[in-house]
């Protein structure tokens, strides 16, 4: 996922996340080797749209 993100020009950094980081995100996804990219649209009281980055990254991974 990190290599695919870099290949389409996304800035990447790995940092610890706090609850406030997640709640303040513009979009959110989870990923693993079997399921690929999965958008997260709700978690407890927070909601997110399926964003452009999630879509672009999922498409890029599907082509790899």
């Amino acid at each position: 996922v990190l290599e695919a993100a870099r290949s389409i020009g996304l800035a990447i950094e790995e940092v610890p996340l706090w609850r406030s980081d997640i709640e303040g995100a513009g979009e959110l996804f989870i990923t693993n080797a079997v399921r690929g990219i999965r958008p997260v649209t709700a978690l407890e009281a927070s909601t997110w749209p399926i964003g452009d980055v999630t879509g672009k990254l999922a498409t890029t991974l599907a082509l790899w």
Side-chain angles (χ1 to χ4, degrees):
V1 172
L2 296 177
E3 289 180 31
R6 285 186 190 103
S7 79
I8 60 173
L10 295 176
I12 303 299
E13 63 179 322
E14 293 184 69
V15 298
L17 292 176
W18 300 96
R19 184 181 189 101
S20 60
D21 296 321
I22 294 169
E23 290 171 347
E27 62 184 281
L28 190 65
F29 65 85
I30 58 173
T31 184
N32 70 33
V34 175
R35 304 286 303 234
I37 301 287
R38 295 299 215 197
V40 175
T41 58
L43 179 65
E44 296 181 351
S46 299
T47 60
W48 299 271
I50 299 173
D52 292 338
V53 172
T54 301
K56 288 177 187 175
L57 194 50
T59 300
T60 300
L61 280 175
L63 298 174
W64 278 44

